[in-house]
Amino acid sequence: TAEKWLAEKLAPMMRALGVKLAPADPNYKYGGGFNNVDNTVWIRQANPETVLHEVSHGVTSALITNKAARSNPVVGKAVTELDDMRGVLQGSLGLGEIDLSNAAPELRTVLNDPQGPLSNTKEFLSYGMTNRPFQDFLKTLPPPPGRTEARNMWEFFKQTVTSLFGKVTPSQRS
């Protein structure tokens, strides 16, 4: 499955980037979290989406903020492409070009969350890798301007993630 593929990619990267698991913060209201000061991930709600979301935060945050990794042209290009996708989506939503009136409540909740996928590139990446309603939403949007190699924003997102983590076999696609 896609989740297994992602977990198998993230686990060795956690070790290589020094991302550690830590006890859950009892005062935090979310199901999990990532502390970018000490590079720790904690999980209070151990369902697959939450675990993968927070672990992907740990790995991608460490990767994106690591100067050596960021100087890698592949990482730099992927970060730019993720920034572009998020910017296009924010702009289109802000201008009312995307109608969410008939969108599923789960999607509206995710998009309106101040710490959701539109809040920063790291959240955009984590939600895109783990949140099915957000993934389905990206499938309905055109790719960013000038990115004709993809049919829609979801396809472009997957191409960007693949550049960071490697190829996905047909049985791993979601």
Side-chain angles (χ1 to χ4, degrees), residues 110-143:
V110 163
L111 292 175
N112 290 321
D113 183 348
Q115 294 183 325
L118 302 180
S119 64
N120 61 60
T121 300
K122 295 170 191 173
E123 289 290 351
F124 184 83
L125 179 57
S126 290
Y127 273 88
M129 291 194 313
T130 62
N131 185 275
R132 181 70 63 189
F134 187 62
Q135 293 169 351
D136 291 342
F137 175 60
L138 293 178
K139 292 174 188 175
T140 69
L141 304 175

Side-chain angles (χ1 to χ4, degrees), residues 40-51:
T40 57
V41 171
W42 57 267
I43 308 294
R44 187 166 48 100
Q45 183 180 345
N47 62 54
E49 181 181 334
T50 300
V51 172

Side-chain angles (χ1 to χ4, degrees), residues 139-154:
K139 292 174 188 175
T140 69
L141 304 175
R147 305 298 176 40
T148 57
E149 68 275 16
R151 294 186 313 247
N152 55 49
M153 194 173 289
W154 172 241

Side-chain angles (χ1 to χ4, degrees), residues 15-155:
R15 289 186 287 280
L17 292 166
V19 177
K20 302 168 284 307
L21 292 174
D25 181 337
N27 299 314
Y28 201 66
K29 69 177 183 174
Y30 294 100
F34 172 69
N35 182 331
N36 61 356
V37 174
D38 63 4
N39 240 18
T40 57
V41 171
W42 57 267
I43 308 294
R44 187 166 48 100
Q45 183 180 345
N47 62 54
E49 181 181 334
T50 300
V51 172
L52 284 175
H53 181 94
E54 297 308 335
V55 169
S56 71
H57 262 310
V59 168
T60 57
S61 293
L63 188 64
I64 288 170
T65 58
N66 180 295
K67 287 182 182 182
R70 188 70 189 261
S71 68
N72 179 313
V74 172
V75 174
K77 182 179 183 210
V79 171
T80 298
E81 290 171 345
L82 292 163
D83 285 340
D84 289 350
M85 282 184 271
R86 189 175 66 88
V88 166
L89 185 52
Q90 279 181 316
S92 296
L93 286 167
L95 294 172
E97 296 171 351
I98 298 173
D99 180 16
L100 295 176
S101 59
N102 294 322
E106 299 86 12
L107 176 63
R108 286 198 307 273
T109 299
V110 163
L111 292 175
N112 290 321
D113 183 348
Q115 294 183 325
L118 302 180
S119 64
N120 61 60
T121 300
K122 295 170 191 173
E123 289 290 351
F124 184 83
L125 179 57
S126 290
Y127 273 88
M129 291 194 313
T130 62
N131 185 275
R132 181 70 63 189
F134 187 62
Q135 293 169 351
D136 291 342
F137 175 60
L138 293 178
K139 292 174 188 175
T140 69
L141 304 175
R147 305 298 176 40
T148 57
E149 68 275 16
R151 294 186 313 247
N152 55 49
M153 194 173 289
W154 172 241
E155 290 294 322

